[in-house]
Amino acid sequence: MPSTSPARLPIRPLARHAAAAMALAAGLWVAAAHASPTTTKFEPTAEVLGTKLQMNGAGTRRRGIFNGYDMALYTTRKVTTAEELLVLPGPKKLHFVALRDLPGTELGRLFIKGMGENSPKELTQKHSLSSLRLIEIFSGRPKVAPGESFAMEFIPGKGTLFYILGKPQGEPVGDAEFFQMVLKIWVGQAPADSLLKESLLGRE
């Protein structure tokens, strides 16, 4: 009777166990990345021209192994879908804190790229002047250093006001439609970071 080599018997079970372990580890990593808190301790509320807003959600923008910035979304009431957010009336605020050096020109370019990937071409052309102002604001700084903040506030009837280090950068630009385009960078169909989208919408 031919003998069975004992060295060959465990291969298939071991492969199954290894695959299961890898799948479990991957699942745990995704869950951890999804639920990990931001480094920045954002305030639970914010105020835009006398209107009190609550933090809808906060998360971290990741690119590969690098964390770019922490970000918080403030709204007049809680929403859990992009559709709700985009039609929600009243002021809104996006607050960012850099976690690494962010070159100003690159930051502006990425924001414009995000708008272009989530809005029709005719809208990006319609709001080209407001988009140009966004590029000018961030390109005017060599970089945003770790720990430095910037923000975007939507003020109904006036437009979007940009802040760097808490200081307003000129006058508000655009209208509600333009700010919707800005929001879609993070909550649109092709968001900058899908985990960040979930966090901003409070769906962790």
Side-chain angles (χ1 to χ4, degrees), residues 63-77:
R63 294 187 69 185
I65 62 173
F66 298 106
N67 292 340
Y69 51 79
D70 282 340
M71 175 182 179
L73 166 66
Y74 293 88
T75 55
T76 53
R77 65 172 177 83

Side-chain angles (χ1 to χ4, degrees), residues 82 85-86 94 111 114-115 117-120 123 177-192 197:
L85 174 63
L86 295 174
L94 298 171
F111 289 162
M115 283 195 285
E117 291 176 344
N118 288 279
S119 297
L123 276 187
E177 188 175 65
F178 174 70
F179 193 72
Q180 285 182 340
M181 291 173 58
V182 172
L183 288 173
K184 286 180 182 178
I185 298 172
W186 297 279
V187 303
Q189 293 296 313
K197 175 180 177 177

Side-chain angles (χ1 to χ4, degrees), residues 17-35 195:
H17 289 315
M22 290 175 65
L24 176 61
L28 290 174
W29 184 88
V30 170
H34 185 76
L195 289 178

Side-chain angles (χ1 to χ4, degrees), residues 96-178:
F96 307 78
V97 176
L99 300 178
R100 56 188 289 261
D101 284 341
L102 302 174
T105 301
E106 180 186 358
L107 201 58
R109 180 183 62 80
L110 288 174
F111 289 162
I112 297 301
K113 179 175 180 287
M115 283 195 285
E117 291 176 344
N118 288 279
S119 297
K121 186 176 180 180
E122 56 269 23
L123 276 187
T124 59
Q125 292 175 340
K126 176 182 176 181
H127 296 282
S128 59
L129 290 180
S130 298
S131 299
L132 179 61
R133 179 59 185 148
L134 186 157
I135 294 176
E136 289 175 345
I137 288 170
F138 289 99
S139 297
R141 293 181 61 86
K143 66 179 181 180
V144 181
E148 292 186 337
S149 67
F150 54 100
M152 304 175 189
E153 291 183 354
F154 173 65
I155 305 169
K158 293 188 176 183
T160 301
L161 183 58
F162 300 100
Y163 291 81
I164 295 181
L165 299 179
K167 297 180 180 180
Q169 305 296 302
E171 297 297 318
V173 299
D175 55 14
E177 188 175 65
F178 174 70

